[in-house]
Amino acid sequence: MKKTFTTLLLALTAMMTWAQTSALELLKADPKRSFGTDYPYHFTDAKLTASPAGYEPFYIAHYSRHGSRYFWSDFLYKGLDSLMTKAHERHQLTAEGEAFYNKFTAAKQELFTGWSELTQLGWEQHQGIARTMYNNFPEVFSKGGNVLAVSSLVGRCVISMSAFCQELAQCNPMIEIRENSSRFTLHAVVPDDRQNPLRRKYPRSKPRFEQNRAQFKQENPLPQTVVARVFTNTDSLPEASRIYYLLSNLYTSLPNIGHEGMMGNILTDEEIASQWEASNLGTYAWVFGPRYETIPILEDILEKADAVVKGESDHIADLRFGHDSYLGPLTVLMGINGADRDPEDPYEVKNCYQNWETCMASNIQLVFYRSQENSDILVKCLLNGEEATLPVPTVMAPYYKWSDFRDFYTARCQSVQPLNP
């Protein structure tokens, strides 16, 4: 028994070491991953595991975040405008700061107008994801069929849905797509929206690492360093942490709006990456707390998929377009790639969740397979186009029996009761 326990412990340790190396190596290969939820969608040449003999895909359940956008609120642009204008008028800017001020001022009208809106890049991301889905699973779409697409009421989500659906229809004009953005379907995309007539409130909780957050040690010299690059002095200006907050948020958002280079050498990707583990902790706490709020989304996925499997629905795909504040918690609720592990050690969080997986246009695809010779329906999960693991028992990963998948997640949904049933 002791030998067995030791073997399991060694295997677990090896797996955790691999996960840590994997996350940090990915970050080293592309420091922009440290932009987290601001990271623009990254297309990969992921090789998908061949389906088991005799099985073909026939249905896809999907949830996606909107594509790249301007910053979600105008407070960032207004705050920077006030800060930089004040420093400029008082001659408190370095040469680097003046160069940034001029570029920011030239783009100010665009930024003030565009805040929260989808960008051209966001449109193109959803076009690319739709075409990739079509090419990866032609058996689902080749004969046409009915698709239902639903979106939150926010414009950037509606336009993302439109980009995706237009591209899918161009791939095969025989595909009939019904797009909907209304209060009737909010439970499937943004269930806690105040306009949702089926709105339910669920309990929230903090991840366990929060009890040990003080154990996490990572110095952050960047606020003072960055401020010194921009300002000759900070008399009558906000404190360095507030200035850094504004500048770093603008920096990580620039790739989404076509203004990379605006900030010159004020910040670098590598400097942002040096602070990634701390920011990842913050994101995990943010997506972990409201995970149960996404139960209605998962219930909608289960219900619609079950109707297709039983022959009660003729949909070949159900598409959902929402926000990172739902896709991230849904990733945790489903335990995709171990996101539900809830480690006590803050240094272990990076091994079960990486905030770049909740990037712009991030998406979950559940692909359903059937066989003429076998009655078992199989399901495979893709996270951002790459095969993902689930906590559902299986002997054929990345494939899971639909009956096991359905029972597992039905039980998980039913294990948490809403506060206002």
Side-chain angles (χ1 to χ4, degrees), residues 159-172:
I159 302 302
S160 294
M161 174 175 66
S162 180
F164 192 105
C165 293
Q166 282 191 34
E167 188 69 17
L168 199 59
Q170 287 183 24
C171 290
N172 184 354

Side-chain angles (χ1 to χ4, degrees), residues 295-323:
I295 284 176
I297 299 175
L298 184 51
E299 288 177 334
D300 184 73
I301 290 172
L302 294 171
E303 179 183 346
K304 285 186 168 58
D306 205 38
V308 171
V309 169
K310 292 177 178 178
E312 298 169 356
S313 168
D314 63 356
H315 291 184
I316 59 174
D318 282 289
L319 311 174
R320 302 163 182 85
F321 297 85
H323 305 262

